Amino acid sequence: MDSVLTVIVVVIGAAFYLLPLLIAFNRSSGDRWLVLVVDVVFGASLLGWVLALCLALRKPRVSAAA
């Protein structure tokens, strides 16, 4: 029973750790590859995780080609 609880905690923890990445790819963000790098490399620090989350949540750039 302890191993099942351990697996559940690890899966939930990994999903939370990769939340910015999941958001960026779900929204088809233009910066999704940057979010991937920032989240994987710097995500262990709170600052890196927040930066990746901000990159994932920012609005897409609108081009002026009209």
Side-chain angles (χ1 to χ4, degrees), residues 20 23-24 27 29 35 52-60:
I23 291 170
R27 294 178 69 191
S29 171
V35 172
L53 186 62
C54 289
L55 286 171
L57 291 175
R58 73 179 177 178
K59 293 185 179 185

Side-chain angles (χ1 to χ4, degrees), residues 2-20:
D2 288 336
S3 62
V4 172
L5 183 61
T6 302
V7 169
I8 291 171
V9 169
V10 167
V11 168
I12 291 172
F16 186 74
Y17 180 79
L18 296 174
L19 183 64

Side-chain angles (χ1 to χ4, degrees), residues 10-51:
V10 167
V11 168
I12 291 172
F16 186 74
Y17 180 79
L18 296 174
L19 183 64
L21 181 62
L22 297 172
I23 291 170
F25 274 87
N26 189 35
R27 294 178 69 191
S28 297
S29 171
D31 295 328
R32 62 182 169 260
W33 297 108
L34 178 62
V35 172
L36 175 111
V37 171
V38 170
D39 195 26
V40 171
V41 175
F42 301 112
S45 70
L46 182 61
L47 183 63
W49 188 85
V50 170
L51 175 64

